[in-house]
Amino acid sequence: MSCKRCNSDEDTMNGESSKRKKSIRIWVDGCFDMVHFGHANALRQAKQMGDYLVVGVHSDEEIMKHKGPPVFSQEERYKMVRAIKWVDEVVENAPYVTTLETERYKECKRTVGISTTDLVGRMLLVTKSHHERDETKGPNKNDPKEVGLSQDGRSPYTGTKQFVPTTKRIAQFSEGHEPKPNDKIVYVAGAFDLFHVGRLDFLEKASQYGDYLIVGIHSDPVVNRYKGSNYPIMNLHERVLSVLTNKYVSEVIIGAPYTVTMQMINDFKIDAVCHGMTPILPDVDGSDPYEIPKEIGIFHRIDSSNDLTSDMIVQRIIRNKFLFEERNKKKEAKEVYIENIIRKQ
């Protein structure tokens, strides 16, 4: 992923010595496959370098030629990048090697502990027992749930350091603004694992029910209970950052309760509670988690017209297992090589 600064000339106004700076346009290009918060963090940094951020996204053909099969289609990747709140414009089918007249080239700091290669690796190795661990044996290096438990803090997939969440990182991603007095507040909740266009389309539809969208993100144990023992693939903090990158989202509740209570509705002044067309599973006591919103008439079912799920994303990986394994091996070697160079500097 490259970042270039363009168009920072200055105009002289009416022959006077005072000068007005032109808008600084920033160009970033990349594959943006399985768009994650690491991509978004690079775009956030790029936007801070100027006024208008243009993002070039490579086509499926270009990625296949240079890197191997993408997980997300080009149309999915275009749409996902457009929904990142720091992006002003997307250029589709950008060439893999971009030649632009630029004034300055800058690099954005990489977000350690997250990459497309890492996420693909988690899905390739995911098993029905990856949430279960024998405490006497220590962490399992082939266990996606336990990659953050090893003493060296390194990924078994890519050789990169593990992502460590901080309040600073969350603050960087958060809008940090309160709803206005007359804003209609909308609430949705879920796992939001492996953030994809299906979730994007749902959030876009939900945002149309009001002015301020709050997303409740369930904890890892809660998601594990209703999704099965091989989920979530991304931990709670990774899922929080993924959702915070979305331009339709105003606020996130970290580790939100599974049941929407009257106290919660009152505390957050919620006017509408929305859920997609997926089945609503009961809480641990057998109760309907949306019983209260239904009773007071603020519950809405949303048909986003997109049935893509995390399971379907995993199936894409499995169908091309050999190709993705080969791609990951090459990426791992490259990332370890780059990291060793940086250490020697």
Side-chain angles (χ1 to χ4, degrees):
M1 186 185 302
S2 62
C3 178
K4 300 176 182 179
R5 171 175 167 168
C6 316
N7 301 341
S8 61
D9 297 334
E10 295 180 330
D11 287 334
T12 301
M13 300 176 59
N14 301 323
E16 298 178 2
S17 59
S18 60
K19 294 182 178 180
R20 177 174 57 85
K21 288 186 177 180
K22 279 186 178 179
S23 174
I24 298 175
R25 295 168 63 88
I26 305 296
W27 168 269
V28 177
D29 59 69
C31 301
F32 298 98
D33 196 18
M34 290 204 65
V35 187
H36 50 71
F37 63 88
H39 292 129
N41 191 38
L43 297 178
R44 178 190 66 81
Q45 295 175 65
K47 182 61 180 284
Q48 291 179 335
M49 299 175 189
D51 306 299
Y52 192 86
L53 178 60
V54 182
V55 181
V57 182
H58 307 317
S59 67
D60 292 346
E61 182 181 359
E62 285 280 276
I63 296 175
M64 190 68 187
K65 185 190 305 181
H66 294 277
K67 299 183 71 171
V71 180
F72 286 3
S73 71
Q74 59 192 36
E75 295 303 325
E76 291 172 332
R77 291 181 288 109
Y78 297 155
K79 192 170 188 177
M80 290 290 289
V81 173
R82 280 195 179 95
I84 295 174
K85 59 189 177 184
W86 299 289
V87 175
D88 296 301
E89 181 182 340
V90 168
V91 174
E92 300 179 1
N93 193 22
Y96 202 78
V97 179
T98 308
T99 54
L100 291 174
E101 287 190 11
T102 59
E103 187 171 275
R104 189 177 304 169
Y105 172 85
K106 289 189 175 183
E107 289 189 2
C108 300
K109 292 182 180 179
R110 180 173 181 172
T111 306
V112 296
I114 184 68
S115 68
T116 300
T117 309
D118 185 38
L119 292 177
V120 169
R122 297 188 204 188
M123 286 183 278
L124 286 171
L125 295 174
V126 75
T127 64
K128 287 288 184 183
S129 61
H130 88 260
H131 277 271
E132 302 166 5
R133 177 161 64 94
D134 185 342
E135 296 291 342
T136 64
K137 295 181 180 179
N140 177 3
K141 138 171 229 190
N142 293 324
D143 182 342
K145 183 66 177 176
E146 299 180 25
V147 294
L149 301 176
S150 62
Q151 295 300 313
D152 59 7
R154 296 173 64 81
S155 166
Y157 313 119
T158 63
T160 60
K161 296 177 180 178
Q162 277 303 293
F163 170 69
V164 179
T166 64
T167 54
K168 178 181 177 181
R169 179 69 73 212
I170 293 176
Q172 288 172 337
F173 277 48
S174 176
E175 287 294 326
H177 66 83
E178 298 289 328
K180 298 174 183 176
N182 296 323
D183 278 354
K184 185 176 181 180
I185 298 175
V186 183
Y187 178 74
V188 301
F192 294 94
D193 197 18
L194 296 176
F195 201 76
H196 52 69
V197 288
R199 308 197 191 288
L200 170 61
D201 288 341
F202 168 70
L203 291 176
E204 182 179 8
K205 285 286 181 69
S207 69
Q208 295 169 4
Y209 279 77
D211 310 292
Y212 191 91
L213 179 60
I214 300 175
V215 179
I217 302 181
H218 298 145
S219 67
D220 295 346
V222 170
V223 175
N224 179 238
R225 178 180 67 80
Y226 66 76
K227 286 283 289 181
S229 59
N230 53 336
Y231 288 98
I233 290 174
M234 300 178 77
N235 67 43
L236 175 60
H237 291 95
E238 291 174 319
R239 292 182 283 119
V240 165
L241 291 179
S242 296
V243 172
L244 280 173
T245 67
N246 188 267
K247 66 182 181 181
Y248 302 113
V249 176
S250 305
E251 181 63 285
V252 163
I253 298 177
I254 303 172
Y258 189 65
T259 293
V260 181
T261 64
M262 183 58 74
Q263 179 181 341
M264 185 175 179
I265 292 171
N266 291 333
D267 287 347
F268 290 95
K269 298 180 175 58
I270 296 170
D271 299 293
V273 176
C274 300
H275 186 79
M277 303 308 292
T278 55
I280 299 174
L281 300 179
D283 208 337
V284 288
D285 60 359
S287 63
D288 181 352
Y290 295 104
E291 180 179 354
I292 299 298
K294 289 177 181 178
E295 286 181 354
I296 62 177
I298 64 171
F299 181 76
H300 306 274
R301 294 299 291 258
I302 294 178
D303 185 358
S304 67
S305 302
N306 190 326
D307 61 356
L308 186 65
T309 65
S310 295
D311 289 331
M312 294 167 71
I313 299 296
V314 173
Q315 288 304 314
R316 293 183 187 183
I317 301 293
I318 293 173
R319 281 197 300 268
N320 295 284
K321 187 172 186 291
F322 175 75
L323 292 175
F324 283 118
E325 284 178 337
E326 289 301 305
R327 188 181 82 168
N328 271 24
K329 287 178 183 177
K330 293 178 182 178
K331 284 283 289 181
E332 178 179 351
K334 180 180 178 181
E335 291 184 5
V336 171
Y337 173 74
I338 293 173
E339 188 172 336
N340 287 336
I341 291 177
I342 293 173
R343 285 180 176 180
K344 292 177 181 178
Q345 290 177 346

